[in-house]
Amino acid sequence: MRIGELSKQCGIPVETIRYYEKEGLIPAPPRSASGYREYSKASMSFLSFIQSAKAVGFSLKECRNLLSIFVTRDAHTCAEVKDLSEQKLEDLQTQMQALANMHQTLKAISDACCGGDESAANCAILNKFEGSET
Amino acid sequence: MRIGELSKQCGIPVETIRYYEKEGLIPAPPRSASGYREYSKASMSFLSFIQSAKAVGFSLKECRNLLSIFVTRDAHTCAEVKDLSEQKLEDLQTQMQALANMHQTLKAISDACCGGDESAANCAILNKFEGSET
DNA sequence: ATAAACCCTGAAGTTAGCTATAGGGTCAAG
DNA sequence: CTTGACCCTATAGCTAACTTCAGGGTTTAT
Ligand SMILES: [Zn+2]
Ligand SMILES: [Zn+2]
Ligand SMILES: [Zn+2]
Ligand SMILES: [Zn+2]
């Protein structure tokens, strides 16, 4: 299968596949006589692995680590994989907490504004942002 | 007050202050005979405005819009300001939801892994990422 | 008067994850 | 046998929000 076909199969742009290869996420496939990349069906595992891991918040760098564990998984333990997974769960919670804090703060600021058609000369939101005055 | 002093007062690096000026977030202050920026105490309002708005999730571009409303606030309405604020609240919720979905998905995947010291040859996490097998 | 600490500009570099461009070779159909 | 779809490489560009660098002037303290 050539790169265009693989791209269609997994819904990842051709350029992105080449980019993943350059970044060392996926192994370089064999080439045809004319230099075209020849992918096997197994190549799709790698791409769907990346898609899945990305979808739950892993960066490409982390995907590369996960993939390198995946290809040598006999030499790795479940504990190791689960650790990475639980670390990411914590990261996600930390990020959610940060967003929740921002939301709460902004909600309080926003609620103080009347939202009317009058001039914003004394708008509570602008005043809070400025720093002090009631 | 020169830029180093302002920087110390508000906790924003000197380079960042100059960057904000170049990006049109804060007005260019007057210069001394030798070309040094001379800030008044009012300049700190702008910087603390940016800090506050950034802290609740506004991008610098959005901060610039908010600041331009702030400086001409007599010609703007509370409704306008509150709209921006509520839009940002929605953005934050959307982002939180996205993170919550990732968390939920990853949690389910992670729970399926035994986390033991055995080989990861059949690790449920890796298998899920790969795409299919139980 | 000289050295440290501060200030200036403009341009380039950083991170992440692509996307686009330039310039060219290859393959399948009509 | 040529046209259009496809493939290749290398390099540059994109967004966001800075940070760093190169090269040079100023202020302040000793
Ligand atoms: Zn009002
Ligand atoms: Zn208001
Ligand atoms: Zn296990
Ligand atoms: Zn496992």
Side-chain angles (χ1 to χ4, degrees), chain A residues 113-116 118-119 122-123, chain B residues 78:
Chain A
C113 168
C114 72
E118 68 198 38
S119 143
N122 294 310
C123 178
Chain B
C78 270

Side-chain angles (χ1 to χ4, degrees), chain A residues 45 48-49 52-58 66 69-70 73-74 76-79 81-82 85-86 88-89 92-93 95-96 99-100 102-103 105-107 109-111 113-121 123 125-126 128-131, chain B residues 45 48-49 52-58 66 69-70 73-74 76-79 81-82 85-86 88-89 92-93 95-96 99-100 102-103 105-107 109-111 113-121 123 125-126 128-131:
Chain A
S45 306
S48 73
F49 191 106
S52 307
K54 256 169 54 84
V56 294
F58 287 102
L66 285 168
I69 288 175
F70 177 65
R73 56 195 181 281
D74 290 352
H76 291 274
T77 64
C78 270
V81 178
K82 194 159 187 169
S85 177
E86 287 179 342
K88 182 53 65 180
L89 284 170
L92 290 171
Q93 271 180 339
Q95 290 176 51
M96 277 189 278
L99 288 175
M102 291 191 230
H103 189 277
T105 303
L106 182 54
K107 183 75 167 56
I109 291 171
S110 193
D111 281 350
C113 168
C114 72
D117 280 338
E118 68 198 38
S119 143
C123 178
I125 298 172
L126 298 179
K128 293 268 186 165
F129 283 163
E130 189 188 3
Chain B
S45 304
S48 74
F49 191 106
S52 306
K54 256 170 55 82
V56 295
F58 288 101
L66 285 169
I69 288 175
F70 176 66
R73 56 194 180 284
D74 291 353
H76 290 273
T77 65
C78 270
V81 178
K82 194 159 185 169
S85 178
E86 287 178 343
K88 181 53 64 181
L89 284 169
L92 290 170
Q93 270 179 340
Q95 290 176 52
M96 276 189 279
L99 288 176
M102 292 190 229
H103 189 278
T105 303
L106 182 55
K107 182 75 168 54
I109 290 171
S110 194
D111 281 350
C113 169
C114 72
D117 281 338
E118 69 198 37
S119 144
C123 178
I125 297 172
L126 297 179
K128 293 267 186 168
F129 283 164
E130 189 189 3

